[in-house]
Amino acid sequence: MNSGLRHWREAATLLLAAGGPGRLPRSPLGPFDYEVLLLQRSSRSGFMPSAHVFPGGVVEAADFSADWLGLLPASPLCGLGQVRRPPPGSSRAPLFATDREEMGSPLPGEVAFRICAIRETFEEAGILLLVPEPGPAAAGGPVPLLPADRLPPAAELSEWRRRVQQDPACFLQLCQHLRCVPNIWGLQEWSNWLTPVGRAGRGGRRYDTAFYLCCLERRPCTAQDGREVTAFLWSSPPEIIELFKSEEIWLAPPQFYELCRLCNFSSLHELHKFSSDRALEGCECWMPVMLTASDGYIQLLPGDELYPEDPDYTGEKKIIMSTDKKVEDLMKEGSIFHRIVIKNINSLAVYVNIQAKYKHINPLTINSTCSDYNSKL
């Protein structure tokens, strides 16, 4: 782990998309043949209580354990491809660029963060994303689940889950017991978000989070963890956004942004192909900066014309961006957008008209009333 990180804790999260029934969602976007998993956090959670989030959590020392090298392939990145050099004027996000060997771990960050996302998905949802050792999994379409005959009985698996929740190092022991390895090759690097200043959780918690995407052939069974998670939701991206707009669930801006991005893909195979084709392109590191208007807020993202040249990453500068203008006036005056407009806790709208970097795709723009959907590229 990056012990020198004072302002953020490193974390990993997983956008888990699984083949669904292809039913008509409650939106003008038409049928989607896949669903995305969201977990509802407990109201007692120290960070984003009661929110619906993707599975994930803080990176633990066990995720960087050298013992994983005894299970995973011995190539430099354990069978993962090498991410290409960033385009001119850009750099690899510090989360991924940090030399882990200098910090005492022979395991590359790209491997450890994937292990973290897979472990947390098991802890929180009871889903095991493993493949028979030594891996890697065969390339192709969406990821198949581990055959049922490779899993222990339900009671034994539940006990393993309890042990992993208490001690993350037990996840490696579980893999050794099952003669399997985490399917790190099924997770594609998707995005990297920093918790912004002013949005820290209890105790000043802020996170530097790697977002991964995994497309599964079919929906796996989920099981309550009895701790951090109070409910599960499997639904298509536009349906989830409709639930948010109707105030049935609450999403944080990064989750809303990423779900709008998934709205570009109604087919699981299209989503899998897109994520696989750009798998080695990398991603940007984004820290939203809050601009307070007279009637709402705007979260500015890199590339927006109002995004500061020297963002206050640490919060030590105590910079507050505010204006007496209304959000509508700021939108009319502007021309280069990469922002999330926040009218209230359940009224968000993403506006992007800049070119996406790293061969990624911009979110499908959804206006504040959710009455239509438009791409603003």
Side-chain angles (χ1 to χ4, degrees):
M1 291 186 297
N2 193 341
S3 58
L5 206 66
R6 292 195 299 120
H7 304 285
W8 296 277
R9 300 181 69 186
E10 294 177 323
T13 194
L14 183 59
L15 284 71
L16 194 60
R23 54 193 169 82
L24 185 67
R26 296 181 295 161
S27 86
L29 288 182
F32 275 56
D33 68 2
Y34 68 92
E35 297 172 313
V36 177
L37 175 63
L38 289 179
L39 319 176
Q40 184 174 20
R41 297 178 64 87
S42 166
S43 60
R44 300 186 301 274
S45 296
F47 187 72
M48 294 197 301
S50 300
H52 276 74
V53 299
F54 305 121
V58 174
V59 175
E60 302 286 353
D63 301 321
F64 274 98
S65 172
D67 292 339
W68 285 111
L69 296 176
L71 289 182
L72 295 166
S75 60
L77 287 172
C78 299
L80 295 173
Q82 180 69 50
V83 173
R84 299 184 181 94
R85 288 186 177 183
S90 302
S91 59
R92 187 82 168 116
L95 182 74
F96 303 109
T98 299
D99 189 332
R100 302 293 165 169
E101 283 200 53
E102 290 186 356
M103 303 174 66
S105 173
L107 203 65
E110 288 93 335
V111 176
F113 296 132
R114 285 173 167 85
I115 291 174
C116 171
I118 293 170
R119 173 183 56 77
E120 285 284 348
T121 299
F122 176 56
E123 288 188 32
E124 295 183 328
I127 298 171
L128 264 180
L129 300 176
L130 306 179
V131 293
E133 64 179 14
V143 175
L145 294 169
L146 191 68
D149 60 7
R150 294 298 302 261
L151 296 173
E156 181 182 342
L157 189 60
S158 179
E159 173 59 21
W160 272 109
R161 185 181 177 193
R162 184 192 65 79
R163 291 173 59 186
V164 174
Q165 289 172 336
Q166 292 183 342
D167 180 4
C170 289
F171 187 55
L172 186 145
Q173 297 173 19
L174 170 61
C175 292
Q176 292 172 325
H177 175 70
L178 297 178
R179 299 182 66 183
C180 291
V181 294
N183 189 359
I184 59 174
W185 310 277
L187 274 61
Q188 310 296 353
E189 185 178 316
W190 188 256
S191 58
N192 176 204
W193 290 79
L194 294 174
T195 306
V197 174
R199 288 293 179 268
R202 189 180 304 161
R205 296 178 186 174
R206 297 175 67 195
Y207 299 93
D208 187 353
T209 305
F211 280 60
Y212 292 99
L213 174 73
C214 177
C215 294
L216 296 177
E217 288 181 346
R218 57 183 175 84
R219 184 205 291 188
C221 294
T222 53
Q224 297 276 16
D225 73 345
R227 298 171 45 181
E228 299 178 11
V229 177
T230 60
F232 298 111
L233 173 64
W234 282 101
S235 196
S236 70
E239 284 182 299
I240 294 172
I241 291 171
E242 293 287 346
L243 291 172
F244 170 70
K245 294 292 187 179
S246 63
E247 302 186 14
E248 296 177 58
I249 65 173
W250 180 70
L251 303 169
Q255 280 73 19
F256 181 81
Y257 185 104
E258 297 299 358
L259 286 164
C260 289
R261 186 137 66 174
L262 294 182
C263 281
N264 286 285
F265 306 95
S266 61
S267 161
L268 181 69
H269 282 271
E270 290 177 359
L271 176 60
H272 176 76
K273 183 179 187 306
F274 174 80
S275 64
S276 299
D277 288 348
R278 66 161 305 278
L280 302 182
E281 297 298 330
C283 65
E284 285 189 277
C285 177
W286 290 343
M287 186 188 76
V289 173
M290 187 70 77
L291 169 61
T292 302
S294 64
D295 61 344
Y297 304 89
I298 298 178
Q299 277 202 352
L300 305 169
L301 294 168
D304 191 282
E305 63 187 12
L306 297 180
Y307 196 81
E309 292 185 7
D310 184 20
D312 182 15
Y313 285 105
T314 66
E316 295 173 343
K317 299 177 182 178
K318 308 297 183 184
I319 296 175
I320 298 176
M321 293 185 64
S322 63
T323 177
D324 293 332
K325 297 179 180 179
K326 293 182 178 181
V327 169
E328 182 180 0
D329 295 331
L330 291 169
M331 296 301 297
K332 288 180 179 179
E333 294 172 2
S335 60
I336 302 175
F337 299 145
H338 191 199
R339 59 184 63 174
I340 304 172
V341 174
I342 306 173
K343 285 299 187 81
N344 58 58
I345 194 171
N346 278 82
S347 178
L348 305 184
V350 179
Y351 294 93
V352 188
N353 62 9
I354 63 172
Q355 180 64 46
K357 297 181 179 180
Y358 298 90
K359 295 185 180 180
H360 221 314
I361 192 168
N362 285 334
L364 205 61
T365 299
I366 302 175
N367 72 10
S368 58
T369 60
C370 206
S371 61
D372 62 19
Y373 295 70
N374 303 288
S375 178
K376 295 192 67 173
L377 291 178

